Amino acid sequence: MIYLNRLGMLCALGDSLPAIAGAMYAGRSGLRTDTRYLPELALPIGAVDVPDAALPPVDHLPLRDRSRNNRLALAALAQIRPAVDAAIARYGPDRVGVVVGTSTSGIAEGEAALRQYDRDGTLPAQFNYSQQELGSPAAALAQTLGVGGPAYTHSSACASSAKAMASAARLINMGLCDAVISGGIDTLCAFTLAGFGALESISGSRCRPFSANRDGINIGEAAALFLMSRDEAAVALLGWGEASDAHHISAPDPGGRGAGLAIRQALRRAGLRADDIDYINLHGTATPQNDAMESLVVAALFGERVAASSTKPLTGHALGAASAVEAGLCWLAMQDDNPQGRLPPHLWDGVPDPALPKLQLAADRQSLGRPLRRVLSNSFAFGGVNAALIFGRQ
Protein backbone atom coordinates (compact mmCIF):
# COMPACT_ATOMS: atom_id res chain seq x y z
CA MET A 1 0.00 0.00 0.00
CA ILE A 2 1.28 3.48 -0.90
CA TYR A 3 0.47 6.12 1.70
CA LEU A 4 0.32 9.91 1.52
CA ASN A 5 2.23 10.61 4.73
CA ARG A 6 2.50 14.40 4.69
CA LEU A 7 1.22 17.32 2.62
CA GLY A 8 2.69 20.78 2.10
CA MET A 9 0.53 23.17 0.09
CA LEU A 10 0.07 26.81 -0.89
CA CYS A 11 -2.72 27.96 -3.17
CA ALA A 12 -5.22 30.78 -3.56
CA LEU A 13 -7.07 29.53 -0.46
CA GLY A 14 -4.09 30.04 1.84
CA ASP A 15 -0.47 29.26 2.66
CA SER A 16 -1.06 26.66 5.38
CA LEU A 17 -3.21 23.55 5.66
CA PRO A 18 -5.51 24.98 8.39
CA ALA A 19 -6.11 28.15 6.33
CA ILE A 20 -6.80 26.16 3.18
CA ALA A 21 -9.18 23.74 4.91
CA GLY A 22 -11.03 26.56 6.64
CA ALA A 23 -11.56 28.48 3.41
CA MET A 24 -12.60 25.33 1.55
CA TYR A 25 -15.25 24.28 4.04
CA ALA A 26 -16.55 27.86 4.28
CA GLY A 27 -16.84 28.05 0.49
CA ARG A 28 -14.61 31.15 0.33
CA SER A 29 -13.15 31.49 -3.15
CA GLY A 30 -9.53 32.58 -3.39
CA LEU A 31 -10.05 34.18 -6.79
CA ARG A 32 -9.36 37.92 -7.08
CA THR A 33 -9.49 40.26 -10.08
CA ASP A 34 -5.96 41.25 -11.04
CA THR A 35 -4.07 43.05 -13.81
CA ARG A 36 -0.49 42.15 -12.80
CA TYR A 37 0.11 39.75 -15.66
CA LEU A 38 -2.01 41.26 -18.41
CA PRO A 39 -2.33 44.99 -17.58
CA GLU A 40 -4.77 45.50 -20.41
CA LEU A 41 -7.18 42.85 -19.15
CA ALA A 42 -8.65 42.54 -15.63
CA LEU A 43 -9.29 38.87 -14.91
CA PRO A 44 -10.09 36.80 -11.82
CA ILE A 45 -7.04 34.70 -10.97
CA GLY A 46 -6.11 32.36 -8.15
CA ALA A 47 -2.85 33.85 -6.89
CA VAL A 48 -0.89 32.69 -3.86
CA ASP A 49 -1.17 35.57 -1.40
CA VAL A 50 2.40 35.47 -0.12
CA PRO A 51 4.87 38.29 -0.93
CA ASP A 52 7.80 37.09 -3.01
CA ALA A 53 10.12 38.36 -0.29
CA ALA A 54 8.55 35.90 2.14
CA LEU A 55 9.17 32.86 -0.07
CA PRO A 56 12.26 30.71 0.60
CA PRO A 57 15.46 31.89 -1.11
CA VAL A 58 17.04 29.94 -3.95
CA ASP A 59 20.58 31.27 -3.57
CA HIS A 60 21.85 27.75 -2.84
CA LEU A 61 20.77 26.61 -6.31
CA PRO A 62 22.56 27.15 -9.60
CA LEU A 63 21.24 30.08 -11.63
CA ARG A 64 19.35 27.75 -13.96
CA ASP A 65 17.10 26.65 -11.07
CA ARG A 66 16.40 30.07 -9.55
CA SER A 67 12.78 30.95 -10.27
CA ARG A 68 9.64 31.95 -8.42
CA ASN A 69 8.19 28.60 -9.44
CA ASN A 70 10.94 26.83 -7.51
CA ARG A 71 10.60 29.21 -4.55
CA LEU A 72 6.94 28.21 -4.33
CA ALA A 73 8.03 24.55 -4.46
CA LEU A 74 10.47 25.14 -1.60
CA ALA A 75 7.72 26.85 0.41
CA ALA A 76 5.56 23.73 0.12
CA LEU A 77 8.56 21.55 0.95
CA ALA A 78 9.26 23.59 4.09
CA GLN A 79 5.89 22.54 5.50
CA ILE A 80 6.87 18.86 5.38
CA ARG A 81 10.67 19.15 5.68
CA PRO A 82 11.02 17.43 9.08
CA ALA A 83 9.15 14.35 7.83
CA VAL A 84 11.13 14.34 4.58
CA ASP A 85 14.44 14.65 6.44
CA ALA A 86 13.38 11.76 8.68
CA ALA A 87 12.64 9.62 5.61
CA ILE A 88 16.03 10.46 4.10
CA ALA A 89 17.76 9.54 7.37
CA ARG A 90 15.81 6.30 7.58
CA TYR A 91 16.14 5.10 3.99
CA GLY A 92 19.25 6.89 2.72
CA PRO A 93 19.37 9.70 0.14
CA ASP A 94 19.66 7.34 -2.81
CA ARG A 95 16.36 5.67 -1.88
CA VAL A 96 14.35 8.90 -1.96
CA GLY A 97 13.02 10.26 -5.26
CA VAL A 98 11.32 13.40 -6.55
CA VAL A 99 8.57 13.33 -9.19
CA VAL A 100 6.52 16.48 -9.78
CA GLY A 101 4.34 18.10 -12.43
CA THR A 102 4.50 21.59 -13.91
CA SER A 103 3.56 23.46 -17.05
CA THR A 104 5.13 26.90 -16.55
CA SER A 105 8.35 26.25 -14.63
CA GLY A 106 10.32 29.52 -14.93
CA ILE A 107 8.48 31.11 -17.84
CA ALA A 108 7.83 34.24 -15.75
CA GLU A 109 11.60 34.79 -15.51
CA GLY A 110 11.81 34.54 -19.30
CA GLU A 111 9.03 37.10 -19.66
CA ALA A 112 10.82 39.54 -17.36
CA ALA A 113 14.07 39.04 -19.25
CA LEU A 114 12.41 39.73 -22.59
CA ARG A 115 10.82 42.89 -21.24
CA GLN A 116 14.24 44.17 -20.21
CA TYR A 117 15.73 43.16 -23.56
CA ASP A 118 12.96 45.00 -25.38
CA ARG A 119 13.59 48.05 -23.22
CA ASP A 120 17.40 48.34 -23.30
CA GLY A 121 18.75 45.57 -25.50
CA THR A 122 20.32 43.46 -22.74
CA LEU A 123 19.23 40.40 -20.81
CA PRO A 124 19.36 40.50 -16.99
CA ALA A 125 22.50 39.08 -15.42
CA GLN A 126 20.31 36.90 -13.17
CA PHE A 127 18.55 35.28 -16.14
CA ASN A 128 19.44 31.87 -17.52
CA TYR A 129 17.46 30.31 -20.34
CA SER A 130 17.36 27.01 -18.46
CA GLN A 131 15.21 28.58 -15.75
CA GLN A 132 12.35 27.79 -18.13
CA GLU A 133 13.26 24.11 -18.41
CA LEU A 134 10.44 21.84 -17.29
CA GLY A 135 12.83 19.61 -15.35
CA SER A 136 13.92 22.47 -13.12
CA PRO A 137 11.45 21.95 -10.21
CA ALA A 138 12.47 18.33 -9.68
CA ALA A 139 16.15 19.25 -9.92
CA ALA A 140 15.74 22.10 -7.45
CA LEU A 141 13.95 19.92 -4.90
CA ALA A 142 16.44 17.06 -5.27
CA GLN A 143 19.44 19.36 -4.86
CA THR A 144 17.88 21.14 -1.88
CA LEU A 145 17.30 17.81 -0.15
CA GLY A 146 20.53 16.18 -1.29
CA VAL A 147 18.72 13.07 -2.53
CA GLY A 148 20.01 10.80 -5.27
CA GLY A 149 16.95 8.81 -6.24
CA PRO A 150 15.11 9.33 -9.55
CA ALA A 151 14.18 12.99 -10.00
CA TYR A 152 12.05 14.10 -12.94
CA THR A 153 9.11 16.22 -14.01
CA HIS A 154 5.88 15.41 -15.82
CA SER A 155 4.49 18.08 -18.11
CA SER A 156 1.23 16.89 -19.59
CA ALA A 157 -0.88 20.00 -19.02
CA CYS A 158 -3.67 19.65 -16.44
CA ALA A 159 -2.90 15.99 -15.68
CA SER A 160 0.79 16.57 -14.92
CA SER A 161 0.80 16.15 -11.16
CA ALA A 162 -1.70 13.27 -11.16
CA LYS A 163 0.67 11.42 -13.48
CA ALA A 164 3.57 12.41 -11.24
CA MET A 165 1.84 10.83 -8.24
CA ALA A 166 1.13 7.67 -10.22
CA SER A 167 4.79 7.57 -11.25
CA ALA A 168 5.85 8.00 -7.63
CA ALA A 169 3.72 5.02 -6.65
CA ARG A 170 5.29 2.94 -9.42
CA LEU A 171 8.81 3.83 -8.26
CA ILE A 172 7.96 2.56 -4.78
CA ASN A 173 6.19 -0.56 -6.08
CA MET A 174 9.14 -1.39 -8.35
CA GLY A 175 11.54 -1.15 -5.41
CA LEU A 176 13.48 1.77 -6.87
CA CYS A 177 12.51 4.12 -4.03
CA ASP A 178 11.36 3.81 -0.45
CA ALA A 179 9.93 7.33 -0.37
CA VAL A 180 9.10 9.93 -3.02
CA ILE A 181 8.30 13.62 -2.82
CA SER A 182 5.56 14.08 -5.40
CA GLY A 183 2.98 16.66 -6.45
CA GLY A 184 2.98 19.76 -8.61
CA ILE A 185 4.02 23.37 -8.88
CA ASP A 186 2.76 26.02 -11.28
CA THR A 187 2.98 29.80 -11.16
CA LEU A 188 1.07 32.55 -12.88
CA CYS A 189 2.55 34.31 -15.87
CA ALA A 190 1.37 36.31 -18.86
CA PHE A 191 2.06 33.44 -21.24
CA THR A 192 -0.62 31.13 -19.87
CA LEU A 193 -3.20 33.88 -19.41
CA ALA A 194 -2.65 35.17 -22.94
CA GLY A 195 -2.60 31.66 -24.36
CA PHE A 196 -5.89 30.58 -22.83
CA GLY A 197 -7.29 33.98 -23.73
CA ALA A 198 -6.38 33.35 -27.37
CA LEU A 199 -8.28 30.07 -27.13
CA GLU A 200 -11.28 32.03 -25.82
CA SER A 201 -11.26 29.75 -22.79
CA ILE A 202 -10.93 32.30 -19.96
CA SER A 203 -13.93 33.63 -18.08
CA GLY A 204 -14.17 37.26 -17.07
CA SER A 205 -15.94 36.23 -13.87
CA ARG A 206 -15.61 33.41 -11.35
CA CYS A 207 -15.93 30.17 -13.30
CA ARG A 208 -19.20 28.22 -13.15
CA PRO A 209 -18.56 24.51 -13.74
CA PHE A 210 -21.50 22.58 -15.21
CA SER A 211 -23.69 25.70 -15.38
CA ALA A 212 -25.73 26.59 -18.41
CA ASN A 213 -23.85 29.91 -18.20
CA ARG A 214 -20.32 28.49 -18.03
CA ASP A 215 -17.91 30.37 -20.27
CA GLY A 216 -14.37 29.32 -19.37
CA ILE A 217 -11.70 28.87 -16.73
CA ASN A 218 -9.89 31.01 -14.20
CA ILE A 219 -6.12 30.50 -14.08
CA GLY A 220 -4.49 29.90 -10.71
CA GLU A 221 -1.14 28.98 -9.20
CA ALA A 222 -0.11 26.61 -6.44
CA ALA A 223 2.41 24.22 -5.01
CA ALA A 224 1.35 20.93 -3.43
CA LEU A 225 3.85 18.27 -2.38
CA PHE A 226 3.22 14.92 -0.73
CA LEU A 227 5.66 12.63 1.02
CA MET A 228 4.69 9.19 -0.28
CA SER A 229 5.93 5.88 1.13
CA ARG A 230 4.82 2.52 2.51
CA ASP A 231 4.81 3.94 6.04
CA GLU A 232 1.22 3.69 7.25
CA ALA A 233 -0.79 6.92 7.36
CA ALA A 234 -4.44 8.02 7.40
CA VAL A 235 -4.79 8.26 3.60
CA ALA A 236 -3.49 5.94 0.89
CA LEU A 237 -3.32 6.15 -2.89
CA LEU A 238 -5.40 3.07 -3.65
CA GLY A 239 -5.48 3.29 -7.42
CA TRP A 240 -4.73 5.32 -10.48
CA GLY A 241 -5.61 5.20 -14.14
CA GLU A 242 -4.01 6.86 -17.16
CA ALA A 243 -5.29 6.98 -20.73
CA SER A 244 -5.04 9.02 -23.90
CA ASP A 245 -7.92 9.55 -26.28
CA ALA A 246 -5.75 11.40 -28.86
CA HIS A 247 -8.87 13.17 -30.08
CA HIS A 248 -7.65 16.77 -30.45
CA ILE A 249 -4.78 18.96 -29.27
CA SER A 250 -7.02 20.92 -26.90
CA ALA A 251 -10.56 19.49 -27.02
CA PRO A 252 -11.55 16.27 -25.24
CA ASP A 253 -13.18 13.36 -26.99
CA PRO A 254 -16.89 14.32 -26.68
CA GLY A 255 -17.80 10.78 -25.70
CA GLY A 256 -15.17 10.66 -22.97
CA ARG A 257 -13.74 7.31 -23.95
CA GLY A 258 -10.25 8.05 -22.61
CA ALA A 259 -11.59 9.69 -19.48
CA GLY A 260 -13.84 6.74 -18.73
CA LEU A 261 -10.98 4.32 -19.35
CA ALA A 262 -8.76 6.14 -16.84
CA ILE A 263 -11.47 6.03 -14.16
CA ARG A 264 -12.20 2.35 -14.75
CA GLN A 265 -8.48 1.56 -14.58
CA ALA A 266 -8.23 3.38 -11.25
CA LEU A 267 -11.22 1.45 -9.87
CA ARG A 268 -9.75 -1.88 -10.99
CA ARG A 269 -6.33 -1.10 -9.55
CA ALA A 270 -7.96 -0.11 -6.25
CA GLY A 271 -10.14 -3.23 -6.26
CA LEU A 272 -13.26 -1.08 -5.94
CA ARG A 273 -16.63 -0.70 -7.64
CA ALA A 274 -18.26 2.59 -8.56
CA ASP A 275 -20.62 2.13 -5.58
CA ASP A 276 -17.64 2.26 -3.20
CA ILE A 277 -16.79 5.89 -4.02
CA ASP A 278 -18.00 8.49 -1.49
CA TYR A 279 -17.05 11.68 -3.32
CA ILE A 280 -15.70 12.77 -6.70
CA ASN A 281 -13.47 15.77 -7.19
CA LEU A 282 -14.39 16.70 -10.75
CA HIS A 283 -11.95 18.16 -13.24
CA GLY A 284 -14.72 20.70 -13.82
CA THR A 285 -12.96 23.46 -15.76
CA ALA A 286 -16.20 25.29 -16.68
CA THR A 287 -15.40 25.15 -20.38
CA PRO A 288 -18.33 23.98 -22.51
CA GLN A 289 -16.60 20.91 -23.95
CA ASN A 290 -14.84 19.62 -20.83
CA ASP A 291 -17.93 19.78 -18.63
CA ALA A 292 -20.12 18.16 -21.28
CA MET A 293 -17.67 15.27 -21.65
CA GLU A 294 -17.04 14.80 -17.92
CA SER A 295 -20.71 14.87 -17.00
CA LEU A 296 -21.41 12.09 -19.52
CA VAL A 297 -18.65 9.90 -18.11
CA VAL A 298 -19.47 10.48 -14.44
CA ALA A 299 -23.20 10.01 -14.96
CA ALA A 300 -22.62 6.76 -16.88
CA LEU A 301 -20.32 5.29 -14.22
CA PHE A 302 -21.79 6.72 -11.00
CA GLY A 303 -25.21 8.18 -11.78
CA GLU A 304 -26.46 10.75 -9.28
CA ARG A 305 -25.60 8.69 -6.21
CA VAL A 306 -22.13 10.12 -5.55
CA ALA A 307 -21.64 13.68 -4.35
CA ALA A 308 -19.24 15.60 -6.59
CA SER A 309 -17.77 19.05 -6.94
CA SER A 310 -15.26 21.05 -8.91
CA THR A 311 -12.93 22.99 -6.62
CA LYS A 312 -11.59 25.23 -9.38
CA PRO A 313 -13.95 28.11 -8.44
CA LEU A 314 -12.15 28.03 -5.08
CA THR A 315 -8.54 27.83 -6.25
CA GLY A 316 -8.49 28.64 -9.93
CA HIS A 317 -7.10 26.15 -12.42
CA ALA A 318 -3.48 25.65 -11.40
CA LEU A 319 -2.64 23.81 -14.64
CA GLY A 320 0.31 21.45 -13.99
CA ALA A 321 -0.28 21.69 -10.23
CA ALA A 322 -4.08 21.32 -10.44
CA SER A 323 -4.18 17.55 -9.85
CA ALA A 324 -1.94 17.79 -6.79
CA VAL A 325 -3.93 20.69 -5.33
CA GLU A 326 -7.16 18.76 -5.75
CA ALA A 327 -5.54 15.65 -4.30
CA GLY A 328 -4.50 17.86 -1.39
CA LEU A 329 -8.07 19.09 -0.84
CA CYS A 330 -9.28 15.48 -0.88
CA TRP A 331 -6.51 14.54 1.58
CA LEU A 332 -7.60 17.32 3.93
CA ALA A 333 -11.23 16.20 3.76
CA MET A 334 -10.19 12.65 4.70
CA GLN A 335 -8.31 13.56 7.89
CA ASP A 336 -9.46 12.76 11.42
CA ASP A 337 -10.54 16.36 12.04
CA ASN A 338 -13.40 15.92 9.55
CA PRO A 339 -15.42 13.13 11.23
CA GLN A 340 -18.70 14.27 9.66
CA GLY A 341 -17.31 14.06 6.14
CA ARG A 342 -17.77 17.69 5.15
CA LEU A 343 -17.40 17.96 1.37
CA PRO A 344 -15.59 20.56 -0.72
CA PRO A 345 -18.54 22.67 -1.96
CA HIS A 346 -19.39 23.23 -5.60
CA LEU A 347 -19.46 27.00 -6.12
CA TRP A 348 -21.55 28.06 -9.11
CA ASP A 349 -24.63 30.07 -10.04
CA GLY A 350 -27.00 27.14 -9.49
CA VAL A 351 -28.24 27.15 -13.09
CA PRO A 352 -27.98 23.58 -14.44
CA ASP A 353 -27.40 22.96 -18.11
CA PRO A 354 -30.39 20.94 -19.37
CA ALA A 355 -28.17 19.46 -22.08
CA LEU A 356 -25.96 17.74 -19.48
CA PRO A 357 -26.73 14.61 -17.45
CA LYS A 358 -27.64 15.50 -13.88
CA LEU A 359 -24.95 15.10 -11.20
CA GLN A 360 -25.19 15.42 -7.43
CA LEU A 361 -23.17 18.62 -7.06
CA ALA A 362 -22.14 19.15 -3.45
CA ALA A 363 -24.06 21.97 -1.80
CA ASP A 364 -22.59 24.49 0.62
CA ARG A 365 -21.72 22.78 3.94
CA GLN A 366 -22.93 19.38 2.70
CA SER A 367 -21.53 16.40 4.59
CA LEU A 368 -21.84 12.63 4.54
CA GLY A 369 -22.46 12.36 8.27
CA ARG A 370 -19.45 10.05 8.51
CA PRO A 371 -15.78 10.14 7.45
CA LEU A 372 -14.96 10.00 3.75
CA ARG A 373 -13.53 6.57 3.00
CA ARG A 374 -13.03 6.43 -0.79
CA VAL A 375 -12.52 9.46 -3.01
CA LEU A 376 -11.97 9.82 -6.77
CA SER A 377 -10.19 12.80 -8.32
CA ASN A 378 -10.33 13.38 -12.10
CA SER A 379 -7.83 15.22 -14.30
CA PHE A 380 -8.31 15.63 -18.05
CA ALA A 381 -5.73 17.54 -20.07
CA PHE A 382 -4.86 18.96 -23.46
CA GLY A 383 -3.66 16.38 -25.95
CA GLY A 384 -6.24 13.86 -24.77
CA VAL A 385 -4.30 13.04 -21.59
CA ASN A 386 -6.54 11.60 -18.86
CA ALA A 387 -5.71 10.62 -15.30
CA ALA A 388 -7.74 9.47 -12.31
CA LEU A 389 -6.61 8.97 -8.70
CA ILE A 390 -8.45 7.10 -5.96
CA PHE A 391 -7.64 7.78 -2.31
CA GLY A 392 -8.68 5.64 0.62
CA ARG A 393 -8.91 6.34 4.34
CA GLN A 394 -7.39 3.63 6.50
Side-chain angles (χ1 to χ4, degrees), residues 312-369:
K312 289 181 172 67
L314 294 167
T315 65
H317 191 336
L319 304 180
S323 306
V325 169
E326 289 155 22
L329 298 180
C330 293
W331 185 91
L332 286 170
M334 299 178 80
Q335 297 302 304
D336 290 339
D337 60 0
N338 185 25
Q340 291 303 306
R342 288 175 295 175
L343 301 176
H346 187 84
L347 297 187
W348 64 322
D349 57 5
V351 181
D353 185 342
L356 304 184
K358 188 176 180 181
L359 303 178
Q360 186 197 148
L361 298 174
D364 184 34
R365 304 186 187 278
Q366 181 175 340
S367 67
L368 296 181

Side-chain angles (χ1 to χ4, degrees), residues 125-160:
Q126 69 272 21
F127 174 67
N128 183 297
Y129 179 83
S130 294
Q131 289 167 329
Q132 303 170 111
E133 291 288 344
L134 294 169
S136 178
L141 288 165
Q143 180 159 338
T144 297
L145 292 169
V147 297
Y152 56 95
T153 302
H154 277 275
S155 189
S156 48
C158 316
S160 299

Side-chain angles (χ1 to χ4, degrees), residues 168-218:
R170 282 193 290 267
L171 288 174
I172 296 171
N173 282 338
M174 288 189 294
L176 295 176
C177 291
D178 292 307
V180 181
I181 294 87
S182 187
I185 315 97
D186 237 313
T187 37
L188 286 159
C189 60
F191 178 80
T192 49
L193 286 164
F196 279 93
L199 291 171
E200 299 181 346
S201 294
I202 290 185
S203 177
S205 59
R206 191 179 72 193
C207 66
R208 294 160 288 194
F210 303 95
S211 166
N213 301 314
R214 67 190 186 277
D215 61 353
I217 69 175
N218 308 129

Side-chain angles (χ1 to χ4, degrees), residues 37-176:
Y37 300 95
L38 290 179
E40 70 280 9
L41 190 58
L43 292 169
I45 59 174
V48 170
D49 190 20
V50 176
D52 285 354
L55 293 173
V58 285
D59 299 345
H60 65 289
L61 297 173
L63 182 57
R64 68 175 183 269
D65 292 326
R66 297 179 188 175
S67 66
R68 181 172 177 270
N69 204 68
N70 288 347
R71 294 181 72 187
L72 210 64
L74 296 182
L77 175 65
Q79 296 179 19
I80 59 172
R81 186 66 186 266
V84 172
D85 286 343
I88 295 170
R90 177 179 179 183
Y91 297 118
D94 290 342
R95 299 291 300 170
V96 179
V98 177
V99 190
V100 293
T102 193
S103 65
T104 59
S105 194
I107 287 177
E109 279 65 34
E111 292 174 350
L114 288 173
R115 284 194 294 270
Q116 176 174 317
Y117 186 83
D118 187 56
R119 185 176 64 248
D120 59 24
T122 63
L123 291 171
Q126 69 272 21
F127 174 67
N128 183 297
Y129 179 83
S130 294
Q131 289 167 329
Q132 303 170 111
E133 291 288 344
L134 294 169
S136 178
L141 288 165
Q143 180 159 338
T144 297
L145 292 169
V147 297
Y152 56 95
T153 302
H154 277 275
S155 189
S156 48
C158 316
S160 299
S161 45
K163 292 177 70 65
M165 293 176 68
S167 292
R170 282 193 290 267
L171 288 174
I172 296 171
N173 282 338
M174 288 189 294
L176 295 176

Side-chain angles (χ1 to χ4, degrees), residues 24-43:
M24 174 179 71
Y25 292 132
R28 292 196 305 269
S29 174
L31 301 178
R32 302 290 182 270
T33 299
D34 201 302
T35 57
R36 267 179 292 172
Y37 300 95
L38 290 179
E40 70 280 9
L41 190 58
L43 292 169

